[in-house]
Amino acid sequence: GTKLEDELFRVKQILLAAQITCKVSGSLELMKTPLLVENVLSMCLKEAVTNVVKHSNATYCIISINQSAKETSLKVHDNGTGLDGDKDWSKGHGLRGIKERLDFVNGSLDIHSNNGTTLNIRVPNVIQ
Ligand code: ATP
Ligand code: MG
């Protein structure tokens, strides 16, 4: 298995233990993703799911992984309380850590908060 597959296996178990229903969609066969990018995505997945368990009070979590010719995307959605954009960013290190690592591989992080929280992470397949 790959790094991302291993991490996905772990976060599924964490969600199961927290009694949060988990659904995974998309393909894990990341053909074009450099190892560095895959490591960054694994770290982002771990932090995103840790936050769902710690903060969201959600009953389900949807993890989607998709790849196009140009980029790989990872979405983590929960149906919990949502977060307060400006205020919550400065509370911990997790979200900032995600952002810093993504900057390093020219990736991006968007957070939407309606009907819970959605983290949308995108990374180009070629590191410039
Ligand atoms: P750390 O990650 O450093 O252990 P943390 O989890 O509090 O601490 P962040 O991961 O940066 O820090 O998250 C910042 C804040 O955003 C959290 O304290 C929480 O209030 C809010 N938050 C993050 N993810 C979610 C989520 N899925 N649902 C609801 N609130 C969230
Ligand atoms: Mg956190």
Side-chain angles (χ1 to χ4, degrees):
T2 65
K3 186 92 203 301
L4 191 57
E5 267 181 75
D6 294 347
E7 196 56 60
L8 189 64
F9 181 78
R10 277 194 292 270
V11 300
K12 276 161 113 177
Q13 291 193 312
I14 291 167
L15 288 164
L16 185 69
Q19 295 182 295
I20 298 170
T21 303
C22 173
K23 191 170 161 276
V24 178
S25 79
S27 171
L28 266 176
E29 283 178 36
L30 302 181
M31 304 309 296
K32 306 178 195 74
T33 307
L35 191 58
L36 172 65
V37 171
E38 190 170 327
N39 287 341
V40 168
L41 289 174
S42 302
M43 172 270 162
C44 292
L45 178 62
K46 182 182 184 180
E47 176 55 31
V49 169
T50 303
N51 279 347
V52 172
V53 172
K54 272 189 1 188
H55 307 295
S56 75
N57 217 19
T59 57
Y60 70 79
C61 176
I62 300 170
I63 299 167
S64 334
I65 300 167
N66 286 291
Q67 188 167 57
S68 68
K70 277 186 169 173
E71 65 179 26
T72 304
S73 85
L74 166 69
K75 276 188 201 171
V76 179
H77 169 76
D78 70 63
N79 68 335
T81 54
L83 58 79
D84 183 346
D86 292 344
K87 203 176 83 215
D88 282 344
W89 267 91
S90 50
K91 278 194 198 165
H93 299 108
L95 292 177
R96 263 182 291 161
I98 288 179
K99 190 91 182 55
E100 276 161 24
R101 283 175 173 82
L102 284 171
D103 281 348
F104 190 63
V105 293
N106 300 311
S108 62
L109 167 67
D110 293 306
I111 302 179
H112 300 280
S113 224
N114 43 18
N115 304 312
T117 301
T118 307
L119 262 60
N120 189 0
I121 288 157
R122 300 188 311 168
V123 186
N125 294 324
V126 178
I127 304 169
Q128 263 96 29

